[in-house]
Amino acid sequence: QVQLVESGGGLVQAGGSLRLSCAASGRAFSNYAMGWFRQAPGKGRDFVASISRSGGPTYYADSVKGRFTISRDNAKNTVYLQMNSLKPEDTAVYYCAAGKLAGSNRYYDYDSWGQGTQVTVSS
């Protein structure tokens, strides 16, 4: 498995931007597809975005398409989530995850998870 640590969360006004980072250690980072999920209070863990091992194909939830961008730097063992035009409904704890199935939006396809980083968007 790979160990994951997220950073970059915080409080931002609606319309603002944040960039989340997820640093990986352990087994070869480039062997894993990576995903971002989020969980709002009292709700389940929802898919946000995923990226293939090579950084080529990317996939997004409809709710974030056109506003969020997932990317990765395999040389730095890091995956990013650039979040623009943030809305109050984007408020959640954001988790990065590593798995073997590129493009999956199912949390159970991911084997390793970070501890999460809080994103709060004020109106």
Side-chain angles (χ1 to χ4, degrees), residues 19 22 38 40 45 55 61 65 74-75 78 85 95 101 112 119:
R19 188 194 196 201
C22 174
R38 65 187 182 187
R45 192 166 295 192
K65 204 171 292 183
N74 286 344
T78 302
S85 302
Y95 298 90
L101 187 61
S112 300
V119 171

Side-chain angles (χ1 to χ4, degrees), residues 30-120:
S30 59
N31 287 345
Y32 293 89
M34 298 298 296
W36 285 96
F37 289 74
R38 65 187 182 187
Q39 188 166 16
K43 296 189 176 181
R45 192 166 295 192
D46 294 330
F47 170 77
V48 175
S50 66
I51 189 167
S52 66
R53 294 172 182 81
S54 65
T58 55
Y59 310 85
Y60 297 93
D62 287 343
S63 59
V64 307
K65 204 171 292 183
R67 299 188 298 123
F68 290 11
T69 303
I70 188 171
S71 62
R72 68 190 294 164
D73 186 336
N74 286 344
K76 295 183 178 180
N77 288 358
T78 302
V79 62
Y80 305 96
L81 185 68
Q82 177 67 45
M83 305 186 295
N84 299 328
S85 302
L86 282 161
K87 305 174 181 180
E89 51 264 43
D90 293 319
T91 295
V93 177
Y94 283 70
Y95 298 90
C96 72
K100 292 301 182 74
L101 187 61
S104 174
N105 61 359
R106 300 173 299 197
Y107 70 90
Y108 49 81
D109 283 331
Y110 293 84
D111 305 312
S112 300
W113 293 82
Q115 83 290 349
T117 185
Q118 176 70 48
V119 171
T120 303

